[in-house]
Amino acid sequence: MTLIARGARRTWLATTLRIGILSLGALVMVAPFLYMVSISFTESTYVLTTPPQFIPDPATLANYEQALMTQGLPLAFANSLYIAAISTAVSLLISSMMAYAFARFSFPGRELIFRILLVGLMIPAVMLLIPQFILAKHLALLDSHLGLIVFYVAGSLALNTLLLRGFFEAIPGELDQAMQVDGANAWTRYWRLAIPLARPGLATAAIFTFFASWDEFAWALTIINTPELRTLPIVIRLFAGAGNNAVQWGLVFAASVIAIIPVIVVFLAFQRHFVQGLTSGAVKG
Amino acid sequence: MSPELRSAGDPSADRGWRGARPAGTRPPDATRARARRLSITPYLFLFPGIALFAVAVLYPILQAVHMSLFDWKIVGSATSEFLGLENYRRAFADEHFWLALGNTAFYAVATIIPQIVIGLAVALLLHRRSPVQPFLRVLYYLPVVTSWVVVSLLFRFLFADQGLVNFVLGTETSWLADRWTGMLAISALGVWKGIGWSMMIFLAALQGVPRSLLEAAAMDGAGPWQRFRVVTLPAIWAALAFVTIMLVIGGFNVFISVYLMTGGGPAGRTDVLLTYMYEQAFGSLEFGYGAAIAVILTALVLCLSLIQLRMFRDRNGGFAE
């Protein structure tokens, strides 16, 4: 056997091994989801049997019917959708304005204000639950969707501003100059020039913010009491109850599948943006 | 991560409006006057965001410290009694606080190390371009984008007495009914959900590893491990620092998975600091004590972050550069 042939065979073997290991790992990552989907189509008597049933037999849509008929799941879905949509829109508007100021102007206190904003990244949401609860009580925001939106927007500002600042800084200054010569004021330059050119960044920030608001649990759990105001994560948690015994897992997972399908669809559609945004902050440092 | 590095040496930093004119030219008086008049503009752009941030984030941070010094009464007209540092003394004398802190530390260690090691290993294996690369990348990332509530309930199901984990391992362990096996199950969720995230950061960082250096090292007879240690590792150092710090912050903030998988039980044995805090505040209405726990946790996380920043800086003389 020639040296080259031996080398080629070694490479081929290495590649096969590499893909093999990676596929096995990927299977571990995906298996829980597949099992969850399978359980969502399983009649409750066949859940948690030994040996476990991986392919539902008989398969049933009863869990989905029940999930959609009872306990306000469709309403919770709508609540989550519109809360996430409004939070995302508002957050994008005001964080892009901040990012524009940081990227395009120099002014006293710029770095100080930016640093204070970064503190928002270091202080995790759950730690602020107690004082924010007291604040929301004083502002009469408890048990309201506005109370969710205000704090979701506030919580997303730091990350979005950091992300969008980078995108705005990448826009050539000459374009701004040209518009300024034409007499465009700062707002026009922001709205007509920077915003359209930073569209990939805005898409990334939009996905991050939307996912975060869609999934948020602790704050919604704390301030929402009225059943009609509940969001999706809260309703799913209620499906699962507290103990382990009487849980209707088929129902829980049918609701879970309904909740994560939009996320997965959006993620797959915007995957490229998402990855770009995720890594731009980290690698640029 | 480091704003001072961004602006250092930025020649436009002293100008009213960045990028308005080539460096080194003096602006005509009219432009200068205009620049001065413009100077309120950046604050107008900042105002809505900063105002909201100040009210909803900064003020609560200060408020948490303030509350932690009181026996805070939330109900009606009851007055809150000033306690000074009593809540802190109480925490340090509270056995359950230490148990929760121990569990939090266990979770942090048990999740951070595998997320870094496995995440990096997967990234190294996945780095080479191939037709399956994007597909596999998405599969590894899927748990990251999925709701914490959903995956926490899913793992509670998998770790149930008659669940899949016991079936696969051939065991009959009541995972969630004991402190350490419960923490192990919760940590397993943390690792599974987080690997995709660290992998993605490492994948991006690996693109910055100079190929020529790797090839040169291979020509000089360096084995894979030596190439990794001498060429790859220094090149991804900033990403490694970022991942580690973010994972420490995330690890000490574990809440939803504990709350939904074990509820802190049995008898609070799997409580972490935040579930204990939550229970104290919203269960027992001990808002001052809960706030003290949150402040201690925040201080702990900030200290750990600073220590790490220093460690990573010492290694190559400049963080994230």
Side-chain angles (χ1 to χ4, degrees), chain A residues 3 17-18 35 54 64 89-90 95 100 117 126 142 144 149 158 164 166-167 175 179 205 217 227 231 253 259 262 265:
Chain A
L3 229 120
L17 194 67
R18 199 164 58 83
Y35 192 45
F54 292 110
Y64 286 89
V90 176
S95 57
Y100 188 75
L117 202 58
V126 185
L142 291 185
S144 75
I149 292 168
L164 291 172
F167 277 91
L175 294 176
M179 276 191 86
F217 174 72
T231 55
F253 292 145
V265 168

Side-chain angles (χ1 to χ4, degrees), chain A residues 76-84 152 209-217 231-233 258-263, chain B residues 147:
Chain A
F77 193 96
N79 285 343
S80 280
L81 192 65
Y82 107 84
I83 288 167
Y152 291 168
T209 315
F210 190 90
F211 280 9
S213 326
W214 177 264
D215 272 355
E216 203 286 330
F217 174 72
T231 55
L232 210 44
I258 292 170
I260 62 175
I261 280 178
V263 172
Chain B
S147 159

Side-chain angles (χ1 to χ4, degrees), chain A residues 18 22 103 106 108 124 127 132 222, chain B residues 13 15 43 56 125 140 253 298:
Chain A
R18 199 164 58 83
L22 285 172
S106 166
M127 289 189 197
Q132 285 178 335
T222 309
Chain B
R15 260 188 272 137
Y43 299 105
L125 288 174
Y140 278 94
N253 279 291
T298 309

Side-chain angles (χ1 to χ4, degrees), chain B:
Chain B
M1 286 304 289
S2 49
E4 74 279 13
L5 291 176
R6 255 170 206 275
S7 62
D10 180 352
S12 63
D14 60 338
R15 260 188 272 137
W17 176 65
R18 309 172 78 205
R21 68 198 157 78
T25 59
R26 282 185 63 81
D29 282 352
T31 317
R32 215 191 292 162
R34 177 123 135 253
R36 201 171 300 139
R37 241 185 300 128
L38 272 176
S39 64
I40 193 183
T41 314
Y43 299 105
L44 291 177
F45 273 92
L46 286 177
F47 180 74
I50 292 296
L52 178 60
F53 185 77
V55 171
V57 180
L58 285 185
Y59 171 72
I61 292 175
L62 301 176
Q63 174 79 340
V65 178
H66 180 70
M67 287 173 74
S68 71
L69 303 175
F70 287 83
D71 178 14
W72 196 272
K73 294 277 191 291
I74 185 163
V75 199
S77 54
T79 37
S80 308
E81 188 194 345
F82 181 76
L83 293 178
L85 294 176
E86 178 52 34
N87 281 324
Y88 292 91
R89 205 171 309 137
R90 178 175 160 191
F92 292 124
D94 179 353
E95 246 174 73
H96 203 77
F97 170 84
W98 289 106
L99 174 124
L101 181 61
N103 284 343
T104 310
F106 176 93
Y107 178 85
V109 174
T111 55
I112 292 167
I113 296 169
Q115 282 182 87
I116 291 176
V117 174
I118 302 175
L120 183 55
V122 172
L124 286 167
L125 288 174
L126 205 54
H127 176 50
R128 226 166 299 169
R129 292 220 170 276
S130 73
V132 291
Q133 201 245 27
F135 178 66
L136 285 173
R137 200 178 58 185
V138 166
L139 293 188
Y140 278 94
Y141 201 71
L142 219 47
V144 182
V145 291
T146 321
S147 159
W148 267 108
V149 173
V150 168
V151 294
S152 299
L153 295 173
L154 177 57
F155 266 60
R156 187 167 113 198
F157 176 72
L158 295 178
F159 279 96
D161 290 358
Q162 288 167 302
L164 192 62
V165 173
N166 270 340
F167 175 75
V168 169
L169 299 178
T171 49
E172 284 180 21
T173 313
S174 285
W175 291 89
L176 303 179
D178 171 79
R179 180 181 179 188
W180 297 116
T181 53
M183 288 312 298
L184 209 60
I186 293 163
S187 306
L189 167 59
V191 172
W192 175 79
K193 194 173 193 302
I195 279 180
W197 181 82
S198 56
M199 172 209 74
M200 213 63 113
I201 307 282
F202 287 133
L203 263 183
L206 285 174
Q207 312 217 320
V209 179
R211 265 195 101 79
S212 53
L213 267 180
L214 282 173
E215 279 159 14
M219 297 268 261
D220 289 344
W225 170 245
Q226 261 181 310
R227 286 201 300 269
F228 172 75
R229 213 172 52 85
V230 178
V231 181
T232 308
L233 201 56
I236 63 167
W237 196 251
L240 193 67
F242 175 76
V243 167
T244 312
I245 291 172
M246 295 312 280
L247 289 182
V248 169
I249 295 175
F252 277 84
N253 279 291
V254 55
F255 173 73
I256 300 176
S257 53
V258 179
Y259 189 85
L260 291 178
M261 277 178 76
T262 65
R269 303 302 291 166
T270 57
D271 258 330
V272 287
L273 284 179
L274 286 179
T275 55
Y276 188 45
M277 175 207 91
Y278 197 86
E279 170 55 33
Q280 286 297 318
F282 300 102
S284 315
L285 298 181
E286 294 265 12
F287 281 88
Y289 188 47
I293 297 174
V295 171
I296 295 173
L297 181 55
T298 309
L300 190 69
V301 170
L302 286 179
C303 282
L304 284 172
S305 302
L306 289 175
I307 292 171
Q308 289 174 82
L309 272 172
R310 174 145 299 217
M311 273 166 52
F312 279 107
R313 192 183 285 134
D314 285 348
R315 165 73 185 246
N316 67 349
F319 170 66
E321 273 294 275

Side-chain angles (χ1 to χ4, degrees), chain A residues 15-275:
Chain A
T15 307
T16 314
L17 194 67
R18 199 164 58 83
I19 303 287
I21 294 173
L22 285 172
S23 306
L24 203 69
L27 188 68
V28 173
M29 302 312 275
V30 179
F33 289 122
L34 297 179
Y35 192 45
M36 177 173 96
V37 173
S38 153
I39 294 293
S40 73
F41 289 107
T42 307
E43 276 179 22
S44 52
T45 25
Y46 296 98
V47 175
L48 285 176
T49 48
T50 316
Q53 241 189 26
F54 292 110
I55 305 210
D57 177 36
T60 173
L61 283 172
N63 294 316
Y64 286 89
E65 274 169 35
Q66 202 186 338
L68 289 170
M69 299 300 282
T70 56
Q71 301 187 58
L73 188 87
L75 183 62
F77 193 96
N79 285 343
S80 280
L81 192 65
Y82 107 84
I83 288 167
I86 294 179
S87 304
T88 305
V90 176
S91 172
L92 248 53
L93 177 68
I94 62 183
S95 57
S96 67
M97 283 169 63
M98 282 202 285
Y100 188 75
F102 286 123
R104 276 296 187 255
F105 297 100
S106 166
F107 49 89
R110 189 179 72 159
E111 290 312 321
L112 179 71
I113 299 174
F114 191 67
R115 270 186 204 213
I116 291 174
L117 202 58
L118 289 184
V119 172
L121 285 180
M122 301 280 268
I123 307 288
V126 185
M127 289 189 197
L128 293 179
L129 225 44
I130 298 173
Q132 285 178 335
F133 178 80
I134 307 282
L135 179 67
K137 181 172 181 276
H138 287 312
L139 299 176
L141 289 173
L142 291 185
D143 204 20
S144 75
H145 283 167
L146 187 62
L148 293 179
I149 292 168
V150 165
F151 286 89
Y152 291 168
V153 172
S156 69
L157 287 179
L159 184 64
N160 285 346
T161 306
L162 179 73
L163 188 82
L164 291 172
R165 178 187 179 162
F167 277 91
F168 285 145
E169 276 174 349
I171 298 172
E174 289 78 15
L175 294 176
D176 268 273
Q177 268 176 65
M179 276 191 86
Q180 204 181 21
V181 168
D182 290 345
N185 64 21
W187 177 262
T188 313
R189 295 199 303 271
Y190 155 77
W191 191 246
R192 292 273 167 78
L193 176 76
I195 289 289
L197 286 179
R199 214 174 280 156
L202 290 166
T204 311
I207 299 169
F208 275 124
T209 315
F210 190 90
F211 280 9
S213 326
W214 177 264
D215 272 355
E216 203 286 330
F217 174 72
W219 182 243
L221 174 76
T222 309
I223 73 163
I224 298 294
N225 281 323
T226 310
E228 289 76 33
L229 296 180
R230 282 176 189 146
T231 55
L232 210 44
I234 303 299
V235 167
I236 291 174
R237 181 249 139 86
L238 286 174
F239 277 14
N244 242 338
N245 298 324
V247 181
Q248 284 185 277
W249 286 109
L251 179 64
V252 171
F253 292 145
S256 299
V257 170
I258 292 170
I260 62 175
I261 280 178
V263 172
I264 290 180
V265 168
V266 170
F267 168 61
L268 292 179
F270 292 94
Q271 205 231 110
R272 204 167 281 278
H273 281 315
F274 199 79
V275 171

